[in-house]
Amino acid sequence: MSGVPAPKFVFRGHRAAVHATTFINRQNGQRLASGDSEGFVVLWDLMIMRPSAVWKAHENAILGIRGWGDDKIITHGRDHKLIVWKIAEEDEGKLSTALPLDGPTAERTHPWMLHMLEVNTMNFCSFAACPVEDAGYSRFLGSVSEIFVAVPNTLASEAVDIYTLPSQQRTHTIKPRSTNGMAMSLGLLHHSKKLTLIGAFENGYASVHQQSQNGDWVLTYRTQAHSQPVLSLDVHPDLSCFFTSGADAIIAKHPIPTAPQEVAKPFNPNERIIEEIDVTGPQEPSLLSEGLKIAARSDRGGVPTVWREWKHPNKVINTKHSGQQSLEVRSDGGIFATAGWDTKIRVYSCKTMKELAVLKWHKEGAYAVSFSDVGSRKGSSVAAHSGEDAPEETDKTVDVSRMTVTDRRSHRIKTAHWVAAGAKDGRVSLWDIY
């Protein structure tokens, strides 16, 4: 990018702070969903930059929004409810387009409510979700019949419950250490054919739990990279790592180990653990290293080993900017962005973690940021700014000159690298970068 970036469009419709944004794919174009602190959700049609549906989804602030397939939207509010709405493209015409700015008395029809879960929302922690069947990682829930949903436990704020939808049955409860404080952000995915829960907590810790074949949950990673509460986390699309941001100025990159690390028991039980067999990270062991470990155990007279979670982040940077939240990694894995209490949206390289751009427009604190789906191909602009090698383009060139004006606009909307940001001022800025 050259010069100072500016938003392509600004949506003015909320009268309260915007706490959540997400992109919804439709057959005839993308929608941008935004949710505010009064519980309103607005679907914006990016073809015409106007609302296509507006309803009051919750009686309190929206914590999270996510699309599910072509006809469902999940909303999570601070009224202790998680709701699945049926809202296909053809349903939008039956709903109101009266914006929250038009006042609370405007008549607004609700979409059809498919499912509702009573959940704990005292944490300000949004839900996480993934398909029940492992179909490869994607931030965008496809048209799958069943999903897992992770939310903070109703009674213990540091514990996490996992429900299955549409059955609405609680299938798992994971109990991290009580000293973690409240769960602040969650990630849920399949990794190495194991259901994996990533959690970030009030005391600055982040952890990874994986479900073993016998159904037990095993702690594979736990570290404290932050001195203040972690505000958000997101996973890299290739599952090599995840990122966290917090109330402090730290952004950290963490591994996602698939098993605890092996640690030798000391000869003197009163001494601390003095030997760590693996120090480079969770890797496939070579025959030589396995042989050396067996020999080492033999030299100690067959002393058994113990297992302990990994505890070292891949990289930690001090950005000098505290209060970055809503961290999200773009679907191509090239960049991630954060929304800052200082009003700015910051874009970073996933590889180097260097700051690539600062998007300045909002006058009050930014609370939400999200990317549209750009597939798995890294753009050359990202590569040029982040120090990564730019792979060859794999998509066929589209002859835009042969398109109608409407088709040309639709193509531009669908292929743009959109970034949406919501802020305390009730406005949503839309940017096209990298």
Side-chain angles (χ1 to χ4, degrees), residues 322-360:
S322 60
Q324 296 185 67
Q325 62 186 57
S326 189
L327 187 152
E328 184 168 310
V329 181
R330 198 168 68 177
S331 58
D332 63 358
I335 56 178
F336 67 88
T338 61
W341 294 347
D342 62 357
T343 76
K344 299 176 179 63
I345 306 301
R346 290 183 167 82
V347 181
Y348 298 88
S349 162
C350 284
K351 183 176 181 179
T352 65
M353 295 181 68
K354 290 182 179 178
E355 185 181 283
L356 303 179
V358 179
L359 309 182
K360 305 176 184 178

Side-chain angles (χ1 to χ4, degrees), residues 1-10 357-362 417-419 429-433:
M1 295 190 302
S2 59
V4 178
K8 294 293 184 181
F9 197 83
V10 176
V358 179
L359 309 182
K360 305 176 184 178
W361 186 86
H362 295 278
H417 289 188
W418 294 122
V419 179
S429 56
L430 187 65
W431 312 70
D432 180 8
I433 63 167

Side-chain angles (χ1 to χ4, degrees), residues 275 277 291-302:
E275 180 182 357
I277 299 298
L292 290 173
K293 284 190 280 187
I294 293 172
R297 287 195 288 270
S298 299
D299 292 341
R300 296 193 297 268

Side-chain angles (χ1 to χ4, degrees), residues 73-375:
I73 292 177
I74 308 171
T75 62
H76 188 190
R78 286 216 69 216
D79 55 359
H80 303 287
K81 295 176 183 178
L82 185 144
I83 302 176
V84 181
W85 308 91
K86 183 184 182 301
I87 178 167
E89 188 170 355
E90 57 269 21
D91 298 325
E92 294 177 7
K94 306 170 187 176
L95 301 176
S96 172
T97 56
L99 290 165
L101 277 176
D102 296 330
T105 59
E107 186 176 345
R108 299 181 180 90
T109 304
H110 283 75
W112 181 18
M113 185 187 299
L114 291 175
H115 314 290
M116 185 181 73
L117 285 176
E118 296 283 347
V119 296
N120 171 22
T121 55
M122 295 301 292
N123 300 29
F124 298 89
C125 176
S126 181
F127 73 101
C130 74
V132 169
E133 298 296 329
D134 184 3
Y137 177 77
S138 174
R139 154 178 304 283
F140 302 92
L141 291 173
S143 299
V144 294
S145 59
E146 283 188 300
I147 63 171
F148 286 126
V149 172
V151 292
N153 180 267
T154 304
L155 299 178
S157 294
E158 74 280 357
V160 178
D161 289 332
I162 297 179
Y163 291 86
T164 302
L165 291 176
S167 70
Q168 300 182 213
Q169 297 297 312
R170 184 171 63 179
T171 54
H172 307 282
T173 297
I174 299 91
K175 297 180 179 179
R177 300 175 186 179
S178 58
T179 55
N180 285 350
M182 294 190 299
M184 302 294 291
S185 186
L186 301 172
L188 191 63
L189 61 144
H190 295 276
H191 188 22
S192 299
K193 303 187 183 301
K194 299 176 183 178
L195 185 60
T196 303
L197 174 74
I198 302 176
F201 299 91
E202 187 180 13
N203 66 349
Y205 272 82
S207 65
V208 176
H209 284 80
Q210 287 197 321
Q211 189 181 25
S212 63
Q213 291 183 346
N214 62 10
D216 294 333
W217 286 88
V218 179
L219 179 65
T220 64
Y221 177 76
R222 184 174 185 266
T223 195
Q224 186 181 24
H226 297 268
S227 61
Q228 295 185 41
V230 183
L231 298 178
S232 59
L233 70 84
D234 199 18
V235 178
H236 194 281
D238 67 6
L239 305 186
S240 63
C241 62
F242 69 97
F243 301 87
T244 57
S245 65
D248 53 16
I250 296 297
I251 292 180
K253 179 191 290 189
H254 310 263
I256 310 178
T258 57
Q261 63 177 333
E262 190 179 7
V263 179
K265 279 187 177 179
F267 288 108
N268 184 348
N270 295 321
E271 293 179 359
R272 62 180 177 84
I273 294 175
I274 57 174
E275 180 182 357
E276 295 185 3
I277 299 298
D278 298 320
V279 294
T280 57
Q283 303 174 355
E284 292 294 329
S286 67
L287 293 177
L288 176 59
S289 63
E290 284 297 291
L292 290 173
K293 284 190 280 187
I294 293 172
R297 287 195 288 270
S298 299
D299 292 341
R300 296 193 297 268
V303 175
T305 57
V306 294
W307 297 90
R308 188 176 67 188
E309 68 272 13
W310 298 88
K311 60 180 182 179
H312 300 297
N314 291 345
K315 191 171 186 178
V316 177
I317 63 169
N318 186 341
T319 66
K320 310 296 184 184
H321 307 291
S322 60
Q324 296 185 67
Q325 62 186 57
S326 189
L327 187 152
E328 184 168 310
V329 181
R330 198 168 68 177
S331 58
D332 63 358
I335 56 178
F336 67 88
T338 61
W341 294 347
D342 62 357
T343 76
K344 299 176 179 63
I345 306 301
R346 290 183 167 82
V347 181
Y348 298 88
S349 162
C350 284
K351 183 176 181 179
T352 65
M353 295 181 68
K354 290 182 179 178
E355 185 181 283
L356 303 179
V358 179
L359 309 182
K360 305 176 184 178
W361 186 86
H362 295 278
K363 304 301 182 184
E364 298 183 75
Y367 295 153
V369 65
S370 58
F371 287 105
S372 62
D373 186 3
V374 300

Side-chain angles (χ1 to χ4, degrees), residues 44-57:
W44 303 94
D45 186 341
L46 298 187
M47 277 287 290
I48 58 175
M49 299 299 180
R50 294 290 185 272
S52 61
V54 181
W55 74 100
K56 189 171 175 62

Side-chain angles (χ1 to χ4, degrees), residues 51-70:
S52 61
V54 181
W55 74 100
K56 189 171 175 62
H58 295 272
E59 295 303 317
N60 211 320
I62 301 291
L63 293 175
I65 310 174
R66 195 163 178 184
W68 177 7
D70 298 326

